[in-house]
């Protein structure tokens, strides 16, 4: 817990500020008073029972500063109850992970004395966010002072204010000491070591830690491929025979590493307590709108939106739009091939060093255009998916991921597929693959870390200087720190980071047999990626709320789909190699049959392997079964013997079950 | 409940007998007395708290009759508590399905007055079996009177006595009135109608009802294919063009019906309360043996068997054995082809009607040999899987199913694959397919229903006559009925029935495009199958214990795998058809590329379809979510407000959760 900063509560006691709420500066007084009261109200009165105070402007505060900035904290006991509410899993005395309950708190391993330090600051912030999100309207018809800002019983107050724009942002505060320590062990020391995943999880939450874990795992898994790839480059092994061996190795490798990652991620998630944690019931996402009705599941008043209408929007607008974009991408590809032919023509006419360089220009331009198109499409897809009006954030995300993946896959790899299977020009394929890969890596690094950093620096030069000072060593007053952090860019989640890894995985796996050096480039890229991602998380962005996650979700599926496509493309490339063709000098049909048979065999093995390798390691499976067994046994014990009568008489209305 | 039969309890009251326990006739008195006491003991003393009495031999009892036959029943209240123990789901007042709890009993829909009739007899018998299986040794070192029959705390008494052979059998009694009603609505009336699935479930349990549900669904789903197949036969449509259309239709159909079955089975299982029911913790199977150790999950004393040893047995013995069997099957296939060639030679030399008939003889002999090999292999596989010493019944079943499926698939279809893709003789393929299909259907019907019936009749001619009388109308004393039922054959589960359907599905789907009449034959077979299966369940076999099941388990996977293989074979057959070949007169390579591309497209669509169609229908998904939501809400309510303190003070050792 951050003890250095504290604000005075309304009754004069101090509390540690955890989360900041910023309202627009012209918010009406009555709305503010109402909101603060609701946040402070006792839980039995439907409040959040949190501590909240207005931020008093510091010495350097100017007229321009927004006065409506509030810091939120909570009593220690409130946080512990909140931990039970959100279903946090913690390590029990016997070493297993169990759902935390307040009543049972002393049986948890790290709970000492009054339990100070039991919850990490990220967990406390997550709890507060959860409680704020669950602050629901009672019988108010609208937000006081804003008759147009309709409310109905059960509507999340914070979400309504956010979607109507009075609430600018809610964000958790950074923890200076902790951040300094984390930065040091993460990216400031030069020596080669694993990333401090537990510390990252402690500070940023499980979702982020899993991303960095996956990034590291993916990089390490590529090292054997990179090591095999280097001699190909050094000794100029151009014959396809060796490439074929490489492709075979690659295929097995892809499948195995993805399966092993599932097990590793289950181990990590178990240790972090998110593996067996039950998902909370999902609320409608803030942007969702519709006619007020009754949710059939919760029985609560809630906007409803007809599924048929949504399907119409998806199939009549979104799908045609995506197809149009794919067509455009195809059109751009054709222009690229024209340019390529034109460059080749110039080079052939009068080959000099400069015309040799000119050969690379079309690929580079095309790579830049691809990146730009991806970027524009990304915004379009987000807008369109929002407009489809999905009820849940998870469905929204799935539709967005699907749209973006299909387009990015097509946009990045269509030209390579065309070169490989229509033109069948392996030299051009290698050159094109290398240029695309290198250019997109360079662009990505610029776009992702340096651009936001530079933009922020430009936008806020003075503040930035102060911030750097703050982050380094000097103590700044709370109000200054809050203002600095409020101005930092907002981190939009791991989506783009995973997408980048996904495309890199595609470059490595799809056409690996023609360009074994790809793995080396991706490993180098990933090493710098770790540092630039770590830097941007610690220095460039606002602290994000921690997101409990048990796995990398839909991305596991995306990577597996890519590895299936890789089997098909690599088999086809192997079949097209002169080396393999020479084994079947007479009959091309025979060759194709063999290749197709081999491909089917590989695909079948892949599916059997996925099925045979258990997703959760045995020792964790045993721990999970033990928990389940204990709860079943406890249930049985309750039913037998004397307790029955007691339960029957005193609690006949509300049957109970003992857990643990 | 069966009220007509009752026996006197030791305190003079009567109870309805539900389950029969038969011990060997020379069992020692002290062992019997001990067992009966343990069964009668109160639950807090570690007993099963059931009612049990020795069966007094009836008027016709002879010296030869085994005196150690006991009938078991239970008080009504005990059964209700048992229903909670086994986690039975019942319909709640609000129409949803909820886990039954004794405390909450009056809120369940069909619970009226004292709840008589709330549980079906099959459910009562299942509960009694569960309680008997869970009767565990306390501190006895061995079964009294049998120093070699070792026990240890926590060992299931019944299972030990069964595996050591003192316990001959435990089986539930038939219910004459109910059975008569069920038989009538099921197979005695001639008029065309759906099967009475709810009644079947009521009498035989969910596992059996799902089998009959699947059989009916599968038959109905084949009718469109059969209808399309008939004109092919009538009008002699020999051109492959039409077959290609048929194969395409077939592929889509297979995928769609399997997906829809999942939804239908989820609906059925929801209505029967097995969909969201939690699986009970699985005990080691009776035959499992090993060195006594401590189970890491339960912490109980239990035999342990090293996994490495089991793996050795599997890979060094079972796998080579299976491969050897496959080789043998291949060898037999080659002999068949020799015979086929020989018959053809004779026919070609001097073709008469008789030599024309001779052409079918090799196929018929081969079909019979296949059936015999399947049968022998089935026993070998069961022995081998038992010897592998799997701890759980479910793992045992999975390994058995895998072994049997691989061999049966190979044994039944290898010759067809050979004819289709190596010999490429479509006429022979059609003839061979037809002969195999028809012969195996006829053999199966004989083996499955008529053989056990006839054997039993021969073995027990006198008793049989009495039984028929009993079943028809005359009241027989309880002791007679028990003796009659004890002598009936034991139904070994749905394994063989599903296996038969699986092979039929293979005949229909794998080579459908060369023999569209297959669907017609399978539909006809299934219609008689329904009747013969129903007949054997009601008349030939002992009543089986009901088995709660939420789906058809591993068979769903097996059918889906078959439909994937069907895509591959049908695409290959389409590619080989002269009709399709004529589109690519010049380049065979082009043709193959197109077929392979088309096949990949189909496979991809199949997987996407499986992914897109939800496995549980929306309205049931809503009901399930509502239950989950309510339990989450109840949990939250407990945590908030005043109840916390109460919970904190009085129940700090045992945290509670409210369900409902």
């Amino acid at each position: 817990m951050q003890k250095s900063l504290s604000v005075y509560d309304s009754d004069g006691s101090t509390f540690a500020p955890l989360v900041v709420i910023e309202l627009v500066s012209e918010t009406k007084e009555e709305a503010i008073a109402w909101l603060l009261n609701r946040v402070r109200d006792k839980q039995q009165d439907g409040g959040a029972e949190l501590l909240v105070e207005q931020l008093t402007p510091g010495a350097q505060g100017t007229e321009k500063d927004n006065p409506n900035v509030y810091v939120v904290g909570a009593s220690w006991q409130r946080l512990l109850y909140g931990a039970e509410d959100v279903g946090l899993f913690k390590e029990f005395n016997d070493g297993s992970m169990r759902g935390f309950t307040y009543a049972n708190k002393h049986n948890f391993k790290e709970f000492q004395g009054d339990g100070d330090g039991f919850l990490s600051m990220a967990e406390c912030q997550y709890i507060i966010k959860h409680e704020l999100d669950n602050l629901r309207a009672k019988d108010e018809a609208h937000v006081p002072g804003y008759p147009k800002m309709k409310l109905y019983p059960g509507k999340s107050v914070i979400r309504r204010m956010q979607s109507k724009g009075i609430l600018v942002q809610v964000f958790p505060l950074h923890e200076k000491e902790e951040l300094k320590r984390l930065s040091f062990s993460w990216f400031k020391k030069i020596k080669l070591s694993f990333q401090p995943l537990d510390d990252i999880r402690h500070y940023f939450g499980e979702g982020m830690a899993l991303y960095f874990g996956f990034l590291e795992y993916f990089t390490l898994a590529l090292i054997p491929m990179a090591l095999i790839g280097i001699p190909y480059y050094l000794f100029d092994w151009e014959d396809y025979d060796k490439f074929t061996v490489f492709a075979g190795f690659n295929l097995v490798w892809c499948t195995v590493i993805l399966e092993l990652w599932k097990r590793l991620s289950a181990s990590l998630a178990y240790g972090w307590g998110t593996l067996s944690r039950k998902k909370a019931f999902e609320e409608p996402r803030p942007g969702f709108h519709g006619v007020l009705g009754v949710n059939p599941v919760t029985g609560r008043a809630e906007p409803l939106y007809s599924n048929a209408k949504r399907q119409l929007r998806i199939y009549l607008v979104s799908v045609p739009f995506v197809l149009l974009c794919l067509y455009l991408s195809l059109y751009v590809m054709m222009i690229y091939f024209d340019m390529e032919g034109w460059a080749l023509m110039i080079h052939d006419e009068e080959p000099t060093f400069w015309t040799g360089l000119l050969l690379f220009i079309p690929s580079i331009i095309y790579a830049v255009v691809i990146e730009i198109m991806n970027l524009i499409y990304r915004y379009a897809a987000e807008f369109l998916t929002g407009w489809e009006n999905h009820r849940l954030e998870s469905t929204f995300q799935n539709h967005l991921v699907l749209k973006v993946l299909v387009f990015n896959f097509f946009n990045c790899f269509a030209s390579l597929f065309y070169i490989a299977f229509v033109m069948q020009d392996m030299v051009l394929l290698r050159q094109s693959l290398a240029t695309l890969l290198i250019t997109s890596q360079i662009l990505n690094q610029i776009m992702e870390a340096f651009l936001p950093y530079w933009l922020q620096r430009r936008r806020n030069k003075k503040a930035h200087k102060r911030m750097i000072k703050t982050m380094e060593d000097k103590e700044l007053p709370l109000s200054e720190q809050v203002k600095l952090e409020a101005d930092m860019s907002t981190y939009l989640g791991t989506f783009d980071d995973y997408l980048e890894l996904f495309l890199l995985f595609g470059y490595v796996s799809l056409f690996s047999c023609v360009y074994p050096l790809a793995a080396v480039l991706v490993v180098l890229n990933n090493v710098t990626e770790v540092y630039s991602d770590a830097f941007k998380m610690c220095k460039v962005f606002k602290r994000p709320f921690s997101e409990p996650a048990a796995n990398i979700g839909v991305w596991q599926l995306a990577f597996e789909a890519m590895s299936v496509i890789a089997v098909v493309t690599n088999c086809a490339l192997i079949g097209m190699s002169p080396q393999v063709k020479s084994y079947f000098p007479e009959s091309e049909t025979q060759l194709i049959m063999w290749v197709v048979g081999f491909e089917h065999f590989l695909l079948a093995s892949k599916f059997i392997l996925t099925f045979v390798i258990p997703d959760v390691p045995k020792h964790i499976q045993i721990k999970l079964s033990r928990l389940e067994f204990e709860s079943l046994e406890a249930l049985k014990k309750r039913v037998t013997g004397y307790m029955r009568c007691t339960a029957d008489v005193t609690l006949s209305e509300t049957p109970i079950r003992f857990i643990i």
Side-chain angles (χ1 to χ4, degrees), chain A:
Chain A
M1 287 292 298
Q2 191 166 16
K3 289 192 187 94
S4 55
L5 293 170
S6 56
V7 293
Y8 283 91
D9 191 8
S10 39
D11 17 308
S13 57
T14 64
F15 70 91
L18 293 166
V19 171
V20 176
I21 297 180
E22 185 179 350
L23 302 173
V24 289
S25 56
E26 63 272 18
T27 314
K28 293 194 181 150
E29 282 300 324
E30 49 198 305
I32 297 177
W34 169 77
L35 177 66
L36 296 187
N37 274 334
R38 290 301 317 274
V39 172
R40 284 185 190 127
D41 270 354
K42 292 258 174 279
Q43 275 194 289
Q44 58 259 48
D45 304 333
E49 213 169 337
L50 299 173
L51 307 170
V52 57
E53 279 309 317
Q54 186 164 17
L55 194 74
T56 45
Q60 288 153 299
T62 61
E63 285 294 304
K64 276 183 201 162
D65 284 343
N66 179 359
N68 290 329
V69 178
Y70 300 85
V71 286
V72 185
S75 73
W76 191 236
Q77 203 162 25
R78 178 73 189 89
L79 286 172
L80 290 179
Y81 281 121
E84 188 173 344
D85 280 3
V86 301
L88 224 55
F89 268 62
K90 283 282 182 180
E91 196 175 357
F92 205 64
N93 266 341
D94 64 356
S96 65
M97 305 296 301
R98 289 170 194 237
F100 177 77
T101 53
Y102 189 83
N104 212 14
K105 58 183 181 296
H106 290 291
N107 290 326
F108 284 84
K109 208 168 185 178
E110 282 161 24
F111 197 95
Q112 281 138 356
D114 61 346
D116 203 5
F118 179 65
L119 300 173
S120 73
M121 187 164 163
E123 280 166 343
C124 295
Q125 290 166 334
Y126 175 71
I127 290 166
I128 287 185
K129 174 166 185 275
H130 176 263
E131 300 295 344
L132 284 176
D133 275 348
N134 274 298
L135 188 64
R136 292 173 188 292
K138 289 186 292 189
D139 38 12
E140 300 95 337
H142 57 85
V143 176
Y146 294 90
K148 280 192 177 163
M149 226 170 274
K150 292 269 185 297
L151 288 173
Y152 46 85
K155 173 72 189 171
S156 164
V157 168
I158 294 286
R159 286 182 176 224
R160 172 48 44 101
M161 292 176 81
Q162 206 157 17
S163 68
K164 289 292 179 184
I166 342 181
L167 186 74
V168 180
Q169 57 181 352
V170 179
F171 66 91
L173 280 170
H174 266 299
E175 210 176 350
K176 283 185 294 175
E177 280 304 308
E178 197 62 42
L179 186 63
K180 215 165 142 188
R181 218 164 36 234
L182 177 65
S183 308
F184 183 76
S185 66
W186 201 0
F187 61 89
K188 283 207 175 150
K189 62 175 179 196
I190 301 298
K191 93 172 205 283
L192 210 70
S193 65
F194 292 111
Q195 289 175 82
L197 288 187
D198 284 324
D199 294 343
I200 298 170
R201 177 239 163 186
H202 200 262
Y203 195 86
F204 287 112
E206 291 81 17
M208 192 68 70
L210 274 176
Y211 164 69
F212 280 101
F214 183 68
L215 176 56
E216 178 172 291
Y217 175 82
F218 180 51
T219 311
L220 290 177
L222 281 178
I223 285 180
M225 274 219 268
L227 288 182
I228 301 178
I230 289 173
Y232 282 87
Y233 184 73
L234 293 181
F235 304 122
D236 231 8
W237 287 348
E238 291 281 320
D239 56 305
Y240 278 91
D241 198 16
K242 294 203 180 65
F243 285 168
T244 308
V245 175
F246 185 76
F249 172 75
N250 192 353
L251 291 181
V252 177
W253 197 243
C254 282
T255 310
V256 172
I257 60 167
L258 286 177
E259 280 305 304
L260 292 184
W261 165 252
K262 263 195 245 170
R263 292 165 66 88
L264 179 62
S265 108
S267 296
L268 288 174
Y270 179 79
W272 296 338
T274 48
L275 187 62
S276 42
R277 178 174 179 181
K278 261 193 136 181
K279 266 202 184 143
F281 199 81
E282 231 182 319
E283 294 286 315
R285 58 190 300 266
F288 178 66
H289 56 87
V291 185
L292 204 62
V294 174
N295 181 321
V297 173
T298 60
R300 281 185 195 151
E302 191 185 285
L304 296 180
Y305 187 77
S306 120
N307 203 33
K309 264 195 210 166
R310 186 178 303 126
Q311 298 291 337
L312 278 183
R313 286 187 174 189
I314 292 176
Y315 290 109
L316 294 187
V317 179
S318 296
V319 172
F321 175 78
V322 173
L323 292 177
L324 184 74
C325 289
L326 294 181
Y327 174 78
L328 267 177
S329 159
L330 213 62
Y331 194 81
V332 170
M333 183 182 95
M334 286 305 163
I335 297 177
Y336 157 63
F337 285 122
D338 284 350
M339 278 164 57
E340 193 74 60
W342 174 75
L344 205 64
M345 205 179 63
I346 293 182
H347 180 69
D348 282 352
E349 262 176 22
E350 195 180 332
T352 66
F353 170 74
W354 294 108
T355 57
L357 218 65
L358 183 69
L359 284 179
F360 286 93
I361 300 294
S363 294
I364 292 174
I365 295 178
Y366 183 50
V368 174
V369 171
I370 282 179
E371 287 296 319
I372 294 171
M373 283 169 69
N374 280 349
L375 205 71
I376 295 172
Y377 178 82
R378 175 85 169 71
Y379 287 107
E382 207 153 326
F383 171 78
L384 218 56
T385 317
W387 178 73
E388 286 167 13
N389 199 15
H390 295 279
R391 195 179 149 263
L392 298 179
E393 184 64 30
S394 60
T395 350
F396 172 85
Q397 284 295 337
N398 285 345
H399 278 258
L400 181 61
V401 167
L402 186 66
K403 276 197 197 67
V404 173
L405 277 194
V406 167
F407 180 79
N408 279 36
F409 182 85
F410 194 85
N411 201 21
C412 292
F413 302 123
S415 65
L416 299 177
F417 274 91
Y418 188 83
I419 298 173
F421 301 116
V422 180
M423 296 164 70
Q424 306 206 352
D425 181 345
M426 292 306 137
V427 179
L428 181 59
L429 179 61
R430 189 175 315 161
Q431 180 207 312
S432 190
L433 180 59
T435 325
L436 279 181
L437 180 57
I438 295 170
T439 318
S440 77
Q441 280 180 14
I442 294 172
L443 284 180
N444 259 314
Q445 296 279 7
I446 293 174
M447 298 275 293
E448 219 183 297
F450 299 104
L451 198 67
Y453 186 69
W454 178 77
L455 275 178
Q456 181 184 316
R457 221 176 139 143
R458 234 183 80 124
R459 198 177 54 209
N460 201 345
K461 235 178 179 170
K462 197 173 143 207
H464 174 74
K465 268 185 204 155
R466 289 187 305 191
M467 188 192 71
I468 285 290
K469 261 194 283 174
T470 329
M471 291 299 169
E472 296 308 323
D473 37 28
K474 229 184 81 181
E475 284 275 311
L476 258 190
L478 177 66
S479 64
E480 290 297 307
Q481 200 204 332
V482 169
K483 290 227 160 60
L484 278 173
E485 290 189 22
D487 285 341
M488 289 167 95
S489 313
T490 305
Y491 180 66
L492 295 171
T494 48
F495 187 102
D496 291 300
D497 296 317
Y498 277 117
L499 182 61
E500 195 190 334
L501 284 189
F502 173 76
L503 294 177
L504 288 179
F505 183 64
Y507 284 119
V508 180
S509 59
L510 287 180
F511 303 98
S512 54
C513 51
V514 292
Y515 190 53
L517 208 63
V520 181
L521 290 175
V522 171
V523 167
L524 289 179
N525 174 74
N526 281 4
V527 172
T528 57
E529 181 86 21
V530 168
Y531 286 95
S532 69
D533 280 354
F535 177 77
K536 78 177 183 198
M537 288 317 304
C538 293
K539 299 278 178 186
V540 179
F541 289 117
K542 266 195 247 324
R543 182 177 191 169
F545 277 109
S546 87
E547 204 54 64
N551 49 52
I552 61 172
V554 67
W555 293 102
Q556 179 81 36
L557 207 67
F559 276 79
E560 275 165 17
M562 181 70 95
S563 80
V564 170
I565 299 173
V567 169
V568 180
T569 55
N570 279 297
C571 282
L573 285 178
I574 292 173
M576 278 157 51
S577 72
Q579 207 80 22
V580 173
K581 271 185 181 156
S582 68
Y583 287 115
F584 301 91
E586 270 138 61
S587 156
E588 208 178 3
T589 316
Q590 277 276 319
L591 163 71
I592 298 179
M593 294 303 256
W594 273 102
V595 171
V596 170
F598 180 63
E599 185 230 5
H600 278 70
F601 168 77
L602 280 180
L603 285 178
S605 320
K606 234 177 122 60
F607 281 103
I608 292 172
L609 216 62
T610 314
F611 199 75
V612 166
I613 300 180
D615 287 357
V616 177
K618 183 112 189 193
H619 67 279
I620 289 177
Q621 196 53 62
I622 287 179
K623 284 181 185 167
L624 293 178
S625 315
R626 188 160 56 206
L627 264 193
E628 202 182 326
F629 172 75
E630 281 172 14
S631 82
L632 279 173
E633 281 300 291
L635 182 64
K636 250 185 233 161
K637 255 182 219 136
R638 184 187 80 66
V639 182
T640 54
Y642 293 108
M643 286 201 64
R644 262 176 192 163
C645 318
T646 346
D648 203 347
V649 174
T650 59
L651 287 159
S652 60
E653 291 306 297
T654 43
I656 46 172
R657 284 193 182 178
F658 292 134
I659 310 293
I660 296 161

